[in-house]
Amino acid sequence: AQSVTQPDIHITVSEGASLELRCNYSYGATPYLFWYVQSPGQGLQLLLKYFSGDTLVQGIKGFEAEFKRSQSSFNLRKPSVHWSDAAEYFCAVAVNNAGNMLTFGGGTRLMVKP
Amino acid sequence: KAGVTQTPRYLIKTRGQQVTLSCSPISGHRSVSWYQQTPGQGLQFLFEYFSETQRNKGNFPGRFSGRQFSNSRSEMNVSTLELGDSALYLCASSIKAGAVADTQYFGPGTRLTVL
C-alpha cells in the first residue's frame, strides 16, 4: 500500500525567506502527487499536482514542486514567503486502480514571522 | 462556477445518535469522495461515489455509510455516534472516476462534535 511522510510537523520562516516543505512517498510505481493547503477552519485548496511529464511543476500562489523519482520525494518550494502563506500543507498521493482515493501525509504547519 | 458545498457546516450530536451530512459537487463533476480529518489520525479516506455507485471504501466500520443521487449530490451517514467520530468531514468532487486519478476539489467541511 502507498504511504506519504511529511517529516516536518512545524516549520517557522521569516517573511520574505525561502521555503521548502518535504514530502516522501512509498509506492512501487510512479504515483500521482498533490500538494494541498488548508487555512484554519477551511477545506483543502489544491496548490499543484504532478501526473507525468516535466518533473518541476508550477502551482498557484507562487509555489512549485519537484518530483524526484530516485528519492521518492515531491518537495514543495516557494522563493519568498508571505505572511498569508501561514497555514497547514498536505502532500497526497493517488495511485492507479484506486480511483480517486487520496492518501495524505500528516501535514506540515507553517508559521511566518514578520 | 460554484465550488463544492457542504451542509451543515457545524453539528453537535450526542453519543448513540445518528447524523447525515450533505455534499453538493461542482457542477459537471460526477465523482464525490469523503474524508475524515482528526488531530490524531489526520486525513483519512472514507469512500468514493460515482454514478450512484460506491467505487472505493476506506477502512472504516459499517456505521459509516454513504450514497449518491442522480444529480451527483452525496450524503454520508454515521449511525450510533461515538466520541471518536468528532472530526471535520470533508467532501471532494472531481469530473470523473476510474482507474486514473483525477484532480479533486474540496469543500469547506462539516465540523461534527459528539458529546
Side-chain angles (χ1 to χ4, degrees):
Chain A
Q2 67 276 12
S3 65
V4 181
T5 301
Q6 292 180 247
D8 304 306
I9 298 175
H10 296 278
I11 283 185
T12 301
V13 300
S14 298
E15 191 168 17
S18 64
L19 171 71
E20 182 169 24
L21 303 182
R22 295 183 291 165
C23 171
N24 294 99
Y25 68 89
S26 174
Y27 182 60
T30 301
Y32 304 101
L33 296 158
F34 306 82
W35 275 99
Y36 284 90
V37 61
Q38 185 178 38
S39 299
Q42 302 297 312
L44 300 173
Q45 181 182 23
L46 179 68
L47 287 175
L48 47 78
K49 62 187 179 186
Y50 173 77
F51 278 13
S52 65
D54 192 348
T55 56
L56 183 64
V57 293
Q58 303 296 321
I60 63 171
K61 304 186 179 186
F63 286 94
E64 67 177 27
E66 186 172 11
F67 170 59
K68 292 186 177 180
R69 185 192 307 274
S70 62
Q71 298 176 19
S72 297
S73 69
F74 188 56
N75 294 349
L76 182 71
R77 300 193 294 248
K78 186 170 185 177
S80 178
V81 170
H82 188 262
W83 65 266
S84 61
D85 292 325
E88 189 152 22
Y89 292 78
F90 293 92
C91 180
V93 303
V95 300
N96 269 331
N97 301 318
N100 281 315
M101 183 180 76
L102 289 173
T103 300
F104 284 90
T108 297
R109 183 166 297 280
L110 172 66
M111 298 199 307
V112 181
K113 290 190 300 185
Chain B
K1 189 184 276 190
V4 177
T5 58
Q6 293 188 244
T7 56
R9 291 293 310 277
Y10 302 92
L11 208 47
I12 299 175
K13 293 286 188 178
T14 56
R15 278 183 300 174
Q17 288 187 308
Q18 74 154 7
V19 67
T20 299
L21 312 181
S22 180
C23 172
S24 293
I26 293 171
S27 177
H29 286 198
R30 298 175 61 195
S31 170
V32 174
S33 298
W34 289 89
Y35 293 83
Q36 181 197 64
Q37 185 177 24
T38 61
Q41 299 299 315
L43 280 153
Q44 295 184 287
F45 172 80
L46 279 157
F47 25 65
E48 177 191 1
Y49 286 87
F50 182 79
S51 293
E52 303 178 63
T53 302
Q54 188 180 89
R55 301 297 291 263
N56 266 307
K57 190 177 193 308
N59 189 25
F60 279 82
R63 300 185 298 107
F64 291 82
S65 62
R67 60 178 175 169
Q68 187 180 34
F69 302 94
S70 59
N71 61 358
S72 296
R73 190 178 69 86
S74 176
E75 290 181 346
M76 68 163 282
N77 184 78
V78 188
S79 62
T80 319
L81 284 165
E82 301 177 359
L83 295 178
D85 297 332
S86 294
L88 181 67
Y89 289 88
L90 293 164
C91 167
S93 76
S94 63
I95 292 175
K96 60 183 187 291
V100 177
D102 192 17
T103 301
Q104 294 181 73
Y105 298 89
F106 283 79
T110 294
R111 172 74 63 185
L112 172 65
T113 302
V114 181
L115 302 176

